[in-house]
Amino acid sequence: MYIDTHTHLHHRRFDKDRKQVLEQMEAVGIQAFLEVAMDLESNAVMREKLREAPIQVRFTAGVHPGAVEKLPEKPDEVLQQIAAYLKDENTVAVGEVGLDYCRADQTEIQALQRVWFHRFIELAKTEKLPLVLHIRDAHEDALQILREHGSEHRGVVHCFQGSWAEAEQYLKLGLYIGLGGLITREDKELEAVARKLPPERILLETDSPYVTPKPKKGRNTPANIPEIAERLADIRKTSVEEIIMVTAENAKRLFGM
Ligand SMILES: [Zn+2]
């Protein structure tokens, strides 16, 4: 059975047919999924919209790096709000948090992202929870900041996009690597990463409604996870069954799902 370790099913693109999407997930053999917060408001919205999911849902709490500039002035109040969600037994990680320089070219915004990244890493340590990391075009800074907080971390670099040298640095820090639709897009560098990763550090994810696997188009849904598993099995010259089993075990180990 699959575990989709990164979804945004609270997104309004699922408002019309969320129930059917959840039923399709069950039909393709997804046993559990991790619903990931984006902006501050989404932390409440997703818990409300997925209250009656027919399969196991676990949540993160956090703020996406692309949304930190809209946060209210008082960081302590934001952190208290997030910390309150983390007390819930269904909340299993801090995320998604990190750095996204791809959509923030101004140096002040990048600096603000780094400030919040430090805060969320500290929060995860205090609460003894893993991190769901979103790192885009910022591996050097992200790795440096993580190292400032210690040589051992728990968490995943979701939707990993980078070189093997960068992936290796995250592995050394104890982190997992999340693979999704990007591995279907003929990116040779990423395929090399997917081939070399130790099996016990790979997580499967769809990042729905984003990152639709090729050749599908439009909104991504978790029911596309078999395409990702098949592509990964192909790249790693192993069976789909092996990929499903190992990645589900990894998700259970990291998030206690
Ligand atoms: Zn995401």
Side-chain angles (χ1 to χ4, degrees):
M1 298 280 271
Y2 291 101
I3 296 182
D4 188 343
T5 58
H6 200 107
T7 64
H8 304 288
L9 297 188
H10 65 278
H11 196 286
R12 54 185 151 69
R13 288 172 79 184
F14 294 108
D15 280 352
K16 283 203 180 110
D17 62 348
R18 188 168 291 107
K19 194 163 176 278
Q20 287 91 311
V21 168
L22 288 160
E23 281 164 9
Q24 284 164 6
M25 289 166 71
E26 214 176 0
V28 300
I30 296 173
Q31 67 172 101
F33 65 102
L34 181 60
E35 177 74 6
V36 178
M38 301 178 80
D39 57 13
L40 185 61
E41 293 69 36
S42 71
N43 286 277
V45 170
M46 66 185 192
R47 285 166 174 83
E48 182 59 37
K49 286 187 179 176
L50 291 165
R51 208 203 297 242
E52 283 164 28
I55 46 181
Q56 190 193 68
V57 50
R58 293 289 180 262
F59 298 99
T60 68
V63 180
H64 188 290
V68 294
E69 51 183 303
K70 292 192 210 95
L71 285 173
E73 288 293 310
K74 296 181 180 151
D76 288 349
E77 285 176 16
V78 173
L79 289 168
Q80 272 167 23
Q81 270 191 58
I82 299 294
Y85 287 115
L86 297 175
K87 301 292 179 207
D88 185 278
E89 58 173 0
N90 290 324
T91 303
V92 298
V94 174
E96 57 189 294
V97 298
L99 301 175
D100 190 332
Y101 291 174
C102 167
R103 279 176 286 177
D105 46 8
Q106 298 101 314
T107 48
E108 315 88 81
I109 297 176
Q110 293 183 356
L112 184 66
Q113 288 186 5
R114 288 193 293 274
V115 169
W116 277 101
F117 191 28
H118 280 287
R119 289 173 180 151
F120 286 128
I121 295 171
E122 275 310 306
L123 183 61
K125 293 235 177 250
T126 309
E127 301 293 332
K128 298 187 172 57
L129 284 170
L131 289 157
V132 174
L133 300 173
H134 171 105
I135 313 293
R136 279 291 293 282
D137 296 348
H139 291 306
E140 206 184 313
D141 283 3
L143 283 159
Q144 193 198 318
I145 290 173
L146 284 162
R147 286 192 195 104
E148 284 174 33
H149 293 266
S151 56
E152 267 302 315
H153 292 270
R154 277 170 67 220
V156 57
V157 184
H158 116 84
C159 197
F160 179 79
Q161 197 170 19
S163 66
W164 172 245
E166 287 157 343
E168 254 188 323
Q169 303 296 311
Y170 291 112
L171 293 172
K172 272 188 197 144
L173 289 170
L175 295 163
Y176 289 65
I177 301 291
L179 297 176
L182 291 182
I183 62 165
T184 66
R185 296 183 182 178
E186 282 135 51
D187 174 340
K188 294 291 163 209
E189 188 180 46
L190 189 60
E191 283 176 23
V193 171
R195 194 173 299 120
K196 289 182 196 169
L197 285 172
E200 69 279 5
R201 293 291 189 86
I202 305 173
L203 296 181
L204 279 191
E205 61 166 71
T206 61
D207 203 9
S208 299
Y210 310 109
V211 205
T212 307
K214 251 178 106 176
K216 293 203 168 160
K217 291 200 173 85
R219 182 186 73 172
N220 194 13
T221 86
N224 290 332
I225 204 166
E227 269 95 328
I228 295 162
E230 278 159 30
R231 184 71 194 108
L232 187 57
D234 201 36
I235 292 170
R236 292 177 65 86
K237 309 242 180 309
T238 181
S239 68
V240 182
E241 293 71 28
E242 179 75 14
I243 295 286
I244 297 171
M245 193 188 74
V246 172
T247 55
E249 273 173 19
N250 296 344
K252 287 177 194 166
R253 189 185 321 115
L254 181 60
F255 297 121
M257 295 176 81

